[in-house]
């Protein structure tokens, strides 16, 4: 058993490939993180744009409804005048 324990040896040295892979991994993680932040910013801007477009669309719909309402009121008043003339 003492012979097996002597065969195990842990080396505390680090090879240049390990250092290079750690540096490349850190650089890749940094690049990915900055890309994620960029996409989050773009999505926030797109959401603001969509919200503004939706508000503008709602405003146009409300104006269209008001226009239809006034046209219907004009038609009603014209019909009432025609009915009064006919009587």
């Amino acid at each position: 058993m003492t012979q097996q324990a002597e065969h195990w040896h842990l080396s505390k040295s680090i090879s240049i490939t390990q250092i290079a892979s750690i540096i490349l991994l850190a650089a890749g993680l940094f690049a990915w993180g900055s890309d994620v932040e960029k996409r989050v910013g773009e999505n926030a801007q797109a959401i603001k744009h969509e919200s503004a477009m939706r508000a503008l669309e709602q405003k146009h719909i409300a104006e269209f409804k008001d226009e239809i309402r006034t046209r219907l009121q004009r038609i009603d008043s014209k019909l009432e005048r025609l009915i009064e003339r006919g009587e």
Side-chain angles (χ1 to χ4, degrees):
M1 195 137 174
T2 57
Q3 289 178 346
Q4 287 181 346
E6 291 176 6
H7 291 292
W8 284 95
H9 177 354
L10 295 175
S11 174
K12 295 182 182 180
S13 64
I14 297 176
S15 69
I16 191 78
T17 57
Q18 289 174 329
I19 293 172
S21 65
I22 290 171
I23 290 172
L24 287 174
L25 181 64
L29 187 61
F30 178 75
W32 177 80
S34 65
D35 187 46
V36 167
E37 190 164 331
K38 178 183 169 187
R39 285 183 285 160
V40 167
E42 289 173 354
N43 285 340
Q45 187 177 11
I47 289 170
K48 285 180 185 178
H49 176 71
E50 288 296 321
S51 296
M53 293 302 291
R54 181 167 288 171
L56 184 62
E57 183 178 298
Q58 292 296 325
K59 179 183 172 188
H60 287 303
I61 289 172
E63 289 172 356
F64 183 70
K65 285 180 181 179
D66 289 339
E67 183 180 335
I68 289 175
R69 193 173 291 121
T70 55
R71 286 183 181 186
L72 287 175
Q73 288 171 352
R74 283 189 219 149
I75 290 172
D76 283 344
S77 65
K78 288 178 182 179
L79 285 175
E80 287 174 6
R81 282 186 277 161
L82 286 173
I83 291 172
E84 288 174 2
R85 284 185 190 171
E87 292 178 349

